[in-house]
Amino acid sequence: MEVAIVAFDDFTDIDVFLPWDILNRVNHPEWNVQIYGTKETHSSVTGLTVPIHSSIDELRNADAILFASGPGTRRLYKDENYLKRLKINPSKQLVGSMCSGALILGALGLLDGMTATTYPTAKKELQKFNVTVVEESFIVEKNIATAAGCLAAQYLVGWIIERLISKKVGEAVINSIQPVGKGLSFTK
């Protein structure tokens, strides 16, 4: 099972690194997580450079595809050449996005007539693609899921694991990252 995380220049760090970490906690012999892009490395919005394992031209071979977010999405969803390279089939693949990564799904027509979520700063842009945009952390319609807010990555990743392997494995992996105790407190 191939899981693709799509990165690009000016991606939001946590939207690549958090799913990368969580997805790589899956212990399954056929599980493979790769970062896809358009060149050998891509740099995040904070300047971290990551190596790319595979080209976006190979996305058609992935079982699940997750698009990161970040300022780079604003360029890419308007780039016809980039969009033409994305061979995605949501009838056979799971497709997900974090925050403004939904703009790429919208530009591809994958969200047409659907309900989706995105980061509030991308809401108006996403609505231009005939999408009902709601302010929720996670939305699933068939084989397409959108998440909003960086920490919603756990829902998106849990959905991918559950759909490709099992609910039991998904719950175990997500439980491995949850805060210990009853709640968050920033004082003693």
Side-chain angles (χ1 to χ4, degrees):
M1 289 165 273
E2 178 85 16
V3 180
I5 299 172
V6 180
F8 38 80
D9 285 331
D10 293 326
F11 67 85
T12 299
D13 298 60
I14 196 168
D15 291 348
V16 169
F17 301 128
L18 184 59
W20 172 261
D21 180 276
I22 300 170
L23 288 165
N24 276 294
R25 291 170 184 248
V26 172
N27 184 12
H28 191 282
E30 297 174 20
W31 192 255
N32 187 33
V33 182
Q34 300 285 311
I35 299 176
Y36 286 60
T38 58
K39 53 189 187 175
E40 289 185 17
T41 62
H42 283 293
S43 295
S44 75
V45 72
T46 65
L48 289 175
T49 299
V50 297
I52 301 304
H53 304 111
S54 192
S55 169
I56 60 168
D57 299 308
E58 302 302 318
L59 284 171
R60 67 184 168 281
N61 299 321
D63 297 292
I65 303 163
L66 192 161
F67 285 88
S69 75
T73 61
R74 296 329 200 275
R75 278 188 316 278
L76 294 176
Y77 90 84
K78 297 173 186 174
D79 183 338
E80 288 299 320
N81 291 325
Y82 179 82
L83 296 174
K84 286 178 187 175
R85 294 175 67 184
L86 303 174
K87 306 299 183 205
I88 298 170
N89 184 347
S91 68
K92 296 179 181 179
Q93 298 170 299
L94 300 178
V95 181
S97 65
M98 284 301 309
C99 300
S100 66
L103 293 171
I104 294 171
L105 301 185
L108 290 170
L110 299 179
L111 300 176
D112 187 41
M114 296 174 65
T115 299
T117 190
T118 189
Y119 201 70
T121 59
K123 182 177 180 177
K124 287 183 181 177
E125 288 170 279
L126 188 57
Q127 287 172 327
K128 295 175 185 176
F129 296 108
N130 189 33
V131 180
T132 301
V133 182
V134 294
E135 290 191 22
E136 293 183 30
S137 56
F138 185 62
I139 300 290
V140 176
E141 284 205 25
K142 299 179 185 173
N143 284 347
I144 299 176
T146 53
C150 297
L151 297 181
Q154 65 183 321
Y155 303 122
L156 186 57
V157 169
W159 171 74
I160 289 170
I161 298 167
E162 183 176 315
R163 291 283 306 273
L164 293 180
I165 300 177
S166 72
K167 183 174 183 172
K168 182 179 178 181
V169 172
E171 287 176 348
V173 169
I174 296 305
N175 284 338
S176 77
I177 64 159
Q178 295 299 313
V180 176
K182 294 183 179 183
L184 295 177
S185 176
F186 299 105
T187 60
K188 291 187 177 185

